[in-house]
Amino acid sequence: MILTTDTPRYNEQMNRNRQNDQSSKISRPKVGLALGGGGARGFAHIGALQVLLENEIPIDMVAGTSMGGIIGSSCVCGLDLDKLLLLLKKLDLHDLLGVPQSPLPEMVERTASEYLFQRKGWRTADQEKTLKLIQFFKLLTHDKSFDEVDIPFACVAADVDTGEEIVMDHGKISRALAASAALPGIHDPVRWEGHLLVDGGIIDRVPIRVAVSLGAEIVIAVNVSGELSDYVGTSLEVIRQSMSITGQALMRTQLELMYARLGEKLLIVTPDVSGIKTLALDEIDAPVKSGREAMEAALPEIQRILETSQTSV
């Protein structure tokens, strides 16, 4: 019932924005969203999107990485955000998404099994966990393809064999989301058009460039990346911290390049999600609240940029 609302607020707002644009003699630049990855911290995107819709900020295209892709796809597929929030609170997301609360034991078991028994069937066929993930995303997106949504949408993953960034903008959205959110060591890589793909956050945490490639002239980017740990005391924590350092360095370089290209037409919103762990999928209210607060604080600047970028036709 929740997944089949016929007149979600999102679609009503998008239609109203289009009608306003058509009837007005003012031409405005296209506005794109770039929603970053960050596991449970990505629930902040729900709060951020609620603020944009409530204030009639136009959204012309959406690019997402990992959880950013999941929340972004829900919008472009017509789900009402308030009902999506209620749904997520009722579900066991750890089970549905195949994410254990403590992933280390499962990662060790999987690695040992693959090493000792050469169980690598995921290279040639979807395994049970992948199929379950895809099925959940089919329900969330009404099993739509990219060409069936009114708002252009794309999500990002990384090719585990080549390290290439893969932008998925055609075919079934459900498979693309499974690939974009496939956590290394927890999920198997997901097959997509000859590629084996894992979580896009490895290579492009906040897909601003992808939003621009979809046609965005102004980009509102929501960054939900975690901060570095203040203290590391185990070998595993050293590995995690090292990966975080590398990821943050890559992200800084990407952001600098996009700032140089877009200037003030790139607005990065950073909710305070420092206290949210990546795999804490049962913590929804706190990141949503942080997303709302961060977008509300950014709203005057967004409105200013939109106003100053309009031109008469």
Side-chain angles (χ1 to χ4, degrees):
M1 184 77 94
I2 289 175
L3 294 177
T4 58
T5 50
D6 294 324
T7 57
R9 184 177 61 182
Y10 180 81
N11 284 347
E12 292 174 355
Q13 184 59 59
M14 293 301 100
N15 290 334
R16 186 156 59 249
N17 286 339
R18 292 194 190 95
Q19 291 169 2
N20 290 341
D21 291 342
Q22 291 171 358
S23 61
S24 174
K25 293 184 179 180
I26 298 295
S27 174
R28 65 165 180 81
K30 293 181 179 180
V31 179
L33 297 184
L35 305 179
R41 295 188 293 268
F43 291 134
H45 296 310
I46 297 176
L49 284 167
Q50 287 174 329
V51 172
L52 292 177
L53 296 178
E54 289 164 4
N55 290 274
E56 300 188 7
I57 301 299
I59 300 172
D60 298 300
M61 59 277 301
V62 178
T65 294
S66 195
M67 185 62 81
I70 295 171
I71 302 302
S73 72
S74 300
C75 282
V76 302
C77 288
L79 288 182
D80 181 276
L81 290 175
D82 294 334
K83 292 181 179 179
L84 172 63
L85 189 55
L86 290 174
L87 176 67
L88 293 177
K89 290 180 180 181
K90 291 180 179 179
L91 296 175
D92 183 350
L93 294 177
H94 285 282
D95 178 60
L96 284 170
L97 299 179
V99 178
Q101 298 204 27
S102 180
L104 184 58
E106 180 174 322
M107 292 171 66
V108 172
E109 180 181 345
R110 285 165 61 88
T111 301
S113 176
E114 291 172 345
Y115 181 76
L116 293 173
F117 304 108
Q118 298 297 304
R119 293 175 178 168
K120 301 174 184 177
W122 48 262
R123 294 198 67 94
T124 56
D126 294 331
Q127 302 300 293
E128 180 180 354
K129 198 171 186 178
T130 299
L131 291 171
K132 185 176 182 179
L133 198 60
I134 292 173
Q135 183 60 35
F136 173 62
F137 291 140
K138 280 184 178 181
L139 294 173
L140 206 62
T141 62
H142 302 299
D143 198 23
K144 289 185 177 181
S145 299
F146 283 89
D147 60 4
E148 294 180 293
V149 296
D150 294 331
I151 308 297
F153 172 66
C155 55
V156 175
D159 187 312
V160 75
D161 287 323
T162 67
E164 180 184 3
E165 178 179 356
I166 304 297
V167 177
M168 297 167 286
D169 60 3
H170 58 279
K172 289 292 185 180
I173 296 176
S174 55
R175 177 169 289 274
L177 292 180
S180 184
L183 295 172
I186 295 176
H187 298 110
D188 294 324
V190 176
R191 296 177 305 119
W192 191 82
E193 297 191 350
H195 300 278
L196 285 168
L197 303 181
V198 294
D199 194 295
I202 294 172
I203 199 166
D204 196 353
R205 289 190 186 181
V206 189
I208 300 166
R209 183 189 59 79
V210 178
V212 172
S213 73
L214 291 174
E217 298 164 282
I218 294 174
V219 178
I220 302 170
V222 183
N223 174 24
V224 293
S225 299
E227 300 293 331
L228 295 177
S229 298
D230 294 330
Y231 173 82
V232 294
T234 69
S235 296
L236 179 59
E237 289 172 347
V238 170
I239 293 172
R240 287 176 176 170
Q241 185 86 328
S242 299
M243 294 174 63
S244 295
I245 292 169
T246 302
Q248 289 196 3
L250 174 61
M251 185 175 68
R252 281 196 299 271
T253 299
Q254 292 170 333
L255 292 181
E256 288 170 2
L257 290 172
M258 295 313 301
Y259 266 128
R261 179 172 178 177
L262 295 174
E264 72 164 9
K265 292 184 178 181
L266 170 59
L267 182 65
I268 298 179
V269 179
T270 306
D272 181 6
V273 289
S274 56
I276 308 297
K277 294 183 178 179
T278 302
L279 302 183
L281 298 176
D282 51 351
E283 295 186 33
I284 297 178
D285 287 335
V288 170
K289 182 174 182 288
S290 294
R292 285 194 66 93
E293 291 173 347
M295 192 59 74
E296 286 170 349
L299 195 59
E301 181 65 8
I302 294 172
Q303 293 169 328
R304 185 194 68 79
I305 292 173
L306 284 172
E307 290 173 3
T308 58
S309 299
Q310 290 179 343
T311 58
S312 299
V313 295

